[in-house]
Amino acid sequence: MKFFRYPAMQATKLHFFPKFIVTVMLMIFGFTAHADDVPESLVQFHAKYTAYKWGDDVGTAEIKLQELAPQQYALTYSSEVSKFFLSDERFEYSVFHLRGGKLVPAEYRYKRKGTGRDSSLTVQFSQQPEPTITISDQASLPWNNETDNQLYRIDVPLQLAAGKRSMAYHFINYRGEPKTYQIDVVGEENIEVPFGRLDTIKVKIVRQASSRETFAWFAPTLDYNLVRLQQFKDGQEQGDLKLSSYIPVN
């Protein structure tokens, strides 16, 4: 489990943070990585983040990658955000495989509760008898290599470590909708987060027909994982997520 290690790596309304945290965050993408871009195994880890709105601490988020069996993994994302009398809690869980060097989704679960309407979603990715995607109780759809709402969280570090500077992702989001995002490296920055000061690679997430702007920072010394995510809409900050703890698991 040490194959992928690199030396030196919801405001006034709380609608802002649901969209921001799930971007995550999204970060924000999804696609099936190419075989030569993916290692034979992944480093398990547990990362914790503090969420801010206009400089105020408004909640937390966590990401965990665990090995379930050889070449099978579980990725978990959870967040709790509150401000005044508004609250938002989110949970995402993915099961996926490494097959032929590719990240292959198998199952995705999403649940949200708090201020406003609660919601949940399940997505099943099946290869037999033919590639299909089943979204909750809806009819099955053809599966054309889309991934789930959060496997980008594993793939983006892999692509950055391989030197990629531009990436396109296709995925099924937490509403069961197909989405596409473009990720571009915009430079390198030394930034301060609760975890400490880090040299990072900064990327911009470009969405189709959206006024939101999202920037994400990844640290090579922490296995190229996410250390900060900041989102704006119409020039106003929606949220800022910063790393507070990172623990690689052997």
Side-chain angles (χ1 to χ4, degrees):
M1 293 307 299
K2 295 184 179 180
F3 187 95
F4 179 51
R5 290 304 303 277
Y6 293 80
M9 153 100 167
Q10 238 148 314
T12 48
K13 291 186 177 180
L14 211 62
H15 304 324
F16 81 88
F17 240 84
K19 291 183 178 179
F20 167 69
I21 287 266
V22 175
T23 291
V24 147
M25 284 135 223
L26 188 191
M27 297 173 352
I28 319 190
F29 351 105
F31 91 80
T32 302
H34 296 295
D36 57 356
D37 296 329
V38 181
E40 295 178 357
S41 64
L42 303 172
V43 170
Q44 302 171 79
F45 68 89
H46 183 186
K48 297 181 180 182
Y49 302 84
T50 301
Y52 299 90
K53 172 67 174 181
W54 297 324
D56 293 334
D57 181 339
V58 295
T60 61
E62 297 187 21
I63 301 176
K64 298 179 184 179
L65 178 63
Q66 301 169 285
E67 186 178 35
L68 302 179
Q71 305 301 296
Q72 183 186 51
Y73 296 85
L75 181 63
T76 305
Y77 168 78
S78 61
S79 65
E80 294 185 20
V81 177
S82 64
K83 191 171 181 66
F84 304 123
F85 56 89
L86 302 171
S87 66
D88 185 276
E89 296 182 22
R90 306 224 171 191
F91 175 82
E92 294 180 75
Y93 180 79
S94 300
V95 175
F96 68 98
H97 300 84
L98 277 176
R99 289 177 179 164
K102 297 180 180 181
L103 303 180
V104 182
E107 179 182 357
Y108 169 78
R109 299 179 187 178
Y110 167 80
K111 184 177 293 186
R112 183 266 173 193
K113 65 179 182 178
T115 304
R117 180 182 297 179
D118 294 350
S119 59
S120 63
L121 183 82
T122 61
V123 183
Q124 300 286 339
F125 298 84
S126 304
Q127 293 182 319
Q128 300 295 332
E130 59 185 23
T132 57
I133 299 174
T134 303
I135 303 172
S136 294
D137 297 326
Q138 302 174 31
S140 296
L141 305 171
W143 180 14
N144 297 310
N145 291 325
E146 298 90 348
T147 188
D148 72 26
N149 189 64
Q150 65 164 356
L151 288 191
Y152 65 85
R153 296 173 184 150
I154 302 302
D155 186 71
V156 171
L158 296 174
Q159 302 304 320
L160 292 176
K164 298 293 182 64
R165 298 187 62 83
S166 183
M167 297 154 273
Y169 291 88
H170 311 286
F171 62 99
I172 304 298
N173 73 2
Y174 65 98
R175 292 193 179 101
E177 304 165 335
K179 292 290 181 178
T180 297
Y181 291 98
Q182 176 69 35
I183 314 300
D184 296 313
V185 172
V186 296
E188 298 179 357
E189 287 187 9
N190 181 271
I191 65 171
E192 182 80 29
V193 294
F195 180 83
R197 182 162 290 279
L198 296 162
D199 289 326
T200 66
I201 298 171
K202 181 180 180 179
V203 307
K204 182 177 182 179
I205 296 92
V206 181
R207 299 173 178 78
Q208 296 175 327
S210 175
S211 61
R212 283 182 287 161
E213 269 194 325
T214 304
F215 297 93
W217 291 257
F218 300 83
T221 57
L222 301 181
D223 304 311
Y224 284 82
N225 277 303
L226 178 76
V227 298
R228 184 183 181 188
L229 185 88
Q230 187 175 36
Q231 186 163 289
F232 300 87
K233 184 175 183 180
D234 299 323
Q236 299 295 315
E237 184 188 76
Q238 287 190 301
D240 196 352
L241 199 72
K242 298 180 180 181
L243 184 74
S244 58
S245 172
Y246 177 81
I247 303 173
V249 181
N250 293 326

